[in-house]
Amino acid sequence: MPNSIVLGTGRSVPARSVPNREFEAVMDTTDEWIRTRTGIESRHWISPGETGVELGRRAAVAALEMAGIGATDLDAIVYATITPDHFLPGNGVFVQRALGANSIPAIDIRQQCSGFVYALAIADGFIKAGVYRRVLVVGQEVQSTRMDVSTRGRHTAVLFADGAGAVVLGPCDDPQRGILGYDLHTDGRLAEKLWVDEPGAIRIPTIDQGRYQEGRYFLEMDGKEVYRHATQRMPESVQTCLGKLNLTPADISLLIPHQANLRISEAVQKGLGLSDAQVYNNIQRYGNTTAATIPIALDECVRASRIEPGDLVVLTAFGSGFAWGTVALRW
Ligand code: COA
């Protein structure tokens, strides 16, 4: 069975950067509150006319270029997003079309903030089984248009942002390299702690102005519960994933935690006893781009030569569902 290795990475964010100060004009908040509670300084939000599919396409093109292959060399796409441009079909087929790929499967998954970790595991399964050789994995979100940019929504609007990251995976016969293992979980008992209730298909009528005004179409979050579970589940999952591989946190060259809140990443680092040099954070500049945080950070690290051949790279995520998980790769 071949292992899956990363052949290329890419990222794309909208041109518009939104510093914390912009929120001060439209809601009761301050730059200082946002920085101290979350670590975020600015984030990228789309402007009218920009699309999530275009962000995904650009990230994919960059990853394909680094991999040295063309879109027609791809065998499958696994596309993680909870904010598709349209209700259906998912963004995967639009990116397949925009890339000019063959009529390969484009599989859209959700899994919220853990979307990219789950997508990697799915792509790895295809490659290990010998079903597909070259798989494009994309994490992409446009969260900004779904935010309540008012004092009512200030606990979420300042956190979430837009962007895309992508990797191209391919097979490798060296069992010491590539994706070594993963650990995935959900706990649906806590689904309503971080969710968007409506518009859902069970609502009659599906769209209702009154319920929109009540805020039912915006993200609802119990921030404290999310924080508590995120800081426990991510370290636990990293330990489980590494334990199955007879590795320990001391073996980690670089941990990229999902970028939800800098304080959460710091707690995960502490929980695992890692040094600053072992953990990468970029939430200061990007905010929480949900399924895109990990591939954006991974691409930054690869292009800055922060990852060298032989490094043990660990990716861990936690989010709505609750869903969480970890992937360990030997570069
Ligand atoms: N600006 C100013 N005040 C704000 C604010 C903002 N942007 N957002 C919330 N507040 C206020 C609250 O209304 C509350 O006011 P009150 O005491 O008058 O009711 C006060 O700040 C404290 O709110 P609280 O929710 O207790 O703050 P907190 O210390 O828990 O921090 C989060 C809030 C959102 C930063 C924190 O809970 C968190 O990061 N949780 C995890 C969220 C997350 O990562 N979600 C995505 C997971 S994938």
Side-chain angles (χ1 to χ4, degrees):
M1 277 199 307
N3 268 9
S4 323
I5 53 165
V6 175
L7 301 173
T9 64
R11 70 177 188 276
S12 174
V13 292
R16 182 181 162 217
S17 174
V18 181
N20 292 343
R21 293 222 174 274
E22 273 195 31
F23 291 112
E24 293 179 356
V26 286
M27 62 176 76
D28 182 12
T29 192
T30 61
D31 172 49
E32 208 257 331
W33 192 97
I34 301 168
R35 274 175 201 260
T36 51
R37 300 293 181 111
T38 72
I40 300 168
E41 296 166 17
S42 64
R43 74 285 289 140
H44 294 266
W45 279 14
I46 62 163
S47 303
E50 285 183 298
T51 67
V53 166
E54 180 55 13
L55 294 175
R57 187 196 68 81
R58 281 195 232 133
V61 166
L64 286 165
E65 273 172 18
M66 191 189 287
I69 64 169
T72 52
D73 297 316
L74 289 172
D75 299 310
I77 299 171
V78 185
Y79 203 102
T81 187
I82 51 166
T83 52
D85 289 359
H86 307 283
F87 197 70
L88 64 93
N91 281 1
V93 298
F94 290 104
V95 169
Q96 176 261 340
R97 178 174 79 184
L99 288 172
N102 298 327
S103 61
I104 55 172
I107 302 151
D108 278 72
I109 66 158
R110 292 161 61 113
Q111 296 307 117
Q112 304 73 245
C113 293
S114 303
F116 189 74
V117 163
Y118 271 75
L120 275 184
I122 291 166
D124 180 57
F126 283 134
I127 291 171
K128 274 212 165 63
V131 179
Y132 302 123
R133 283 177 61 76
R134 309 258 190 245
V135 183
L136 172 69
V137 182
V138 183
Q140 176 263 305
E141 305 290 351
V142 172
Q143 290 281 13
S144 59
T145 53
R146 302 296 309 274
M147 292 294 126
D148 179 357
V149 189
S150 71
T151 298
R152 184 178 66 178
R154 64 183 177 173
H155 62 301
T156 51
V158 302
L159 300 179
F160 291 92
D162 309 339
V167 303
V168 175
L169 291 183
C172 164
D173 289 330
D174 181 350
Q176 307 300 323
R177 287 189 64 207
I179 295 182
L180 304 177
Y182 45 83
D183 173 65
L184 305 174
H185 300 273
T186 58
D187 186 349
R189 291 173 300 177
L190 299 161
E192 289 88 357
K193 298 287 178 192
L194 182 55
W195 74 328
V196 182
D197 182 9
E198 300 189 37
I202 56 167
R203 306 293 174 185
I204 303 171
T206 305
I207 307 289
D208 179 83
Q209 189 60 28
R211 293 205 305 271
Y212 176 80
Q213 296 298 344
E214 283 168 27
R216 307 299 303 163
Y217 298 177
F218 294 119
L219 185 70
E220 292 174 57
M221 177 176 80
D222 181 338
K224 285 204 186 333
E225 274 294 275
V226 174
Y227 192 100
R228 198 165 68 78
H229 284 270
T231 52
Q232 286 171 6
R233 298 302 182 204
M234 281 193 276
E236 235 171 57
S237 176
V238 170
Q239 294 276 15
T240 304
C241 183
L242 293 181
K244 285 190 261 185
L245 301 166
N246 291 321
L247 295 166
T248 71
D251 297 309
I252 295 175
S253 309
L254 193 66
L255 175 79
I256 302 180
H258 165 57
Q259 301 290 291
N261 180 323
L262 191 58
R263 305 285 97 82
I264 292 177
S265 293
E266 288 166 351
V268 170
Q269 175 179 337
K270 197 166 162 220
L272 290 167
L274 302 177
S275 68
D276 288 351
Q278 285 173 289
V279 183
Y280 187 75
N281 290 302
N282 63 8
I283 191 169
Q284 298 90 334
R285 291 172 283 123
Y286 293 107
N288 180 346
T289 56
T290 315
T293 68
I294 289 177
I296 288 174
L298 186 63
D299 183 58
E300 283 195 336
C301 292
V302 168
R303 288 177 195 271
S305 301
R306 182 95 189 249
I307 300 174
E308 303 287 346
D311 279 357
L312 178 67
V313 178
V314 176
L315 315 173
T316 189
F318 177 90
S320 163
F322 289 155
W324 65 99
T326 300
V327 171
L329 312 95
R330 179 76 64 190
W331 212 256

